[in-house]
Amino acid sequence: MDIKAAIAAFNRHYPAFLRFLMGIGDVLITTSQTLIVSFGVPIVLILLLVVEHSRVKQGILTFEQHGDMASFAAWSLVLLNTILEFTIHYIESQTGYQQQRQRRASLRIYAENWLYWLGLQKRWQPIELSPAHRYRRLLRLITFSILALALAGSMRDVMQQQQGAWYAALQNILLESTLAEMTTWAGGLLFALAAISGAQNLTAYLAVKVREIVAEMQLESAAQLQNPLQDYAARLAENLPEIQPVTHFVECDKCGWSNTYTNERSAMFGLNAHTRHCAQKHELSPNGKH
C-alpha cells in the first residue's frame, strides 16, 4: 500500500515537477541570452576593432615609415567606421526616415532600376535619398579603404620583394605566386571583410538599441513629470475658494424695470438705454415744464 501510494503521489506531482524544470530552463535561457546580448555584443565589437586596427596598421606601414603614426591612423579609420554607423542611425531616427525594405533579387527589379536610372519609367518620380546619404557614402569609402589596406598589409612582404615596373610586379604576383600565398591573401581579405561587416552590423544593432532605450526613458520622464503636475493642479483646485462672478444690478425707479450686468459700465449703458425708451418717463410740456 505504501509503494502504491508513493507511486500515485509521484504521478500526481510529476507534471508540476516538469513545469518547474521547464520554468528553470526558461529562466536560464533568457538570462543567458540577455547576458550575451548585453555584454557579448560590446565585447565582440571591441575585439573586432582591435583586430581591424592590426590589419589596417600593416597596410598603412606600406607607405608610412613611423609606426606610431601608422597606429594612430589605423585607429582613426577603425573608429570612424563605427562612429559613422552611429551617426547615420541617429540622423535617420531624428528625421523619421525609413529605409525601403530589402527585396529578393530579381531580373525585373534590376530592369526597373535601370529604367529608373535612364529615366525611361512610366510616371517617373525621383526617389529621395536618406538625409544621412553623405555619411553613407563616406562609410562606403572607409570600408573600401580598410579592405584595401588589409589586403596590402597581408601582401607587404611579397610586394617588397618585387623589382621593376608596377605592371610587371603585378603580373609576377598574379601568375607566379604560390598557392599558400594566394590562400593567405584571400583569407586575409575575407577576414577583413567579415570583421568590417561584423563591426558595422553590431554598431547598427547598438544604435537601434540605444534609440529604444532613450525613447523609453523619455516616456518615463514625461510620465513622472506629468503626475506631480496633475496632483498639484488637483490640490490647487481643491484649496481655491469658489469664485463668485461680480454682477451689477440696476433698476428703473419709474417703471420698475431691472437687469443684471457683468460690469458697472455695461450696467450704466443699459440703464441709459432703458431710460430713453421708458414708457413711464415724464414728457416735458410745450412751455418746458412738467
Side-chain angles (χ1 to χ4, degrees):
M1 294 296 293
D2 294 337
I3 296 177
K4 292 182 178 180
I7 294 174
F10 177 79
N11 292 333
R12 185 170 61 254
H13 295 291
Y14 185 66
F17 178 69
L18 288 180
R19 290 193 296 270
F20 172 74
L21 292 180
M22 293 177 63
I24 293 178
D26 293 339
V27 170
L28 292 177
I29 291 174
T30 54
T31 303
S32 301
Q33 180 181 359
T34 304
L35 291 176
I36 291 173
V37 173
S38 301
F39 298 97
V41 171
I43 292 174
V44 172
L45 179 59
I46 293 174
L47 294 177
L48 288 175
L49 294 180
V50 174
V51 172
E52 285 184 32
H53 166 264
S54 177
R55 304 295 298 175
V56 173
K57 180 182 177 181
Q58 294 299 323
I60 295 177
L61 284 175
T62 58
F63 57 86
E64 176 60 48
Q65 301 299 324
H66 298 84
D68 294 338
M69 184 61 67
S71 178
F72 180 78
W75 276 120
S76 299
L77 282 179
V78 170
L79 293 178
L80 182 60
N81 181 43
T82 304
I83 293 172
L84 284 175
E85 195 71 39
F86 276 112
T87 304
I88 290 170
H89 281 269
Y90 175 77
I91 294 175
E92 292 180 349
S93 64
Q94 290 296 109
T95 56
Y97 176 79
Q98 296 292 335
Q99 291 187 10
Q100 185 179 7
R101 296 186 62 180
Q102 298 292 329
R103 294 174 295 182
R104 189 173 181 180
S106 172
L107 293 177
R108 183 174 181 177
I109 295 177
Y110 294 145
E112 290 178 354
N113 293 335
W114 273 102
L115 291 176
Y116 170 82
W117 186 75
L118 295 174
L120 300 177
Q121 280 184 336
K122 295 181 179 179
R123 298 179 181 179
W124 184 90
Q125 294 292 334
I127 300 175
E128 294 185 358
L129 295 174
S130 166
H133 172 69
R134 59 184 297 182
Y135 300 103
R136 287 190 176 277
R137 185 170 54 188
L138 179 58
L139 181 62
R140 288 194 292 268
L141 176 61
I142 296 300
T143 302
F144 176 78
S145 300
I146 292 176
L147 290 176
L149 290 172
L151 180 61
S154 61
M155 300 176 63
R156 178 183 174 187
D157 295 335
V158 176
M159 289 188 298
Q160 290 178 350
Q161 295 175 1
Q162 299 297 322
Q163 303 293 331
W166 62 271
Y167 53 88
L170 288 178
Q171 183 178 0
N172 292 333
I173 291 175
L174 292 176
L175 299 179
E176 298 181 4
S177 298
T178 63
L179 179 60
E181 292 174 341
M182 297 294 292
T183 304
T184 301
W185 302 335
L189 181 62
L190 291 176
F191 179 79
L193 180 61
I196 294 174
S197 300
Q200 291 178 351
N201 288 310
L202 290 180
T203 305
Y205 168 78
L206 291 178
V208 173
K209 195 65 177 177
V210 168
R211 184 178 62 183
E212 293 177 356
I213 294 173
V214 171
E216 292 178 359
M217 293 176 63
Q218 290 177 349
L219 290 176
E220 292 180 359
S221 300
Q224 293 176 359
L225 182 62
Q226 186 177 8
N227 290 334
L229 290 177
Q230 291 178 348
D231 296 340
Y232 176 76
R235 292 194 302 268
L236 186 61
E238 292 176 356
N239 296 328
L240 284 176
E242 185 177 359
I243 300 176
Q244 298 295 337
V246 178
T247 58
H248 292 268
F249 178 79
V250 292
E251 183 179 5
C252 180
D253 55 355
K254 295 182 177 61
C255 65
W257 171 87
S258 62
N259 199 358
T260 303
Y261 296 89
T262 57
N263 55 66
E264 185 177 1
R265 183 180 182 138
S266 299
M268 192 169 60
F269 281 148
L271 181 60
N272 293 336
H274 169 76
T275 302
R276 287 195 299 268
H277 301 89
C278 180
Q280 302 296 331
K281 68 179 182 178
H282 296 281
E283 297 291 343
L284 292 177
S285 60
N287 58 2
K289 298 182 179 180
H290 292 288

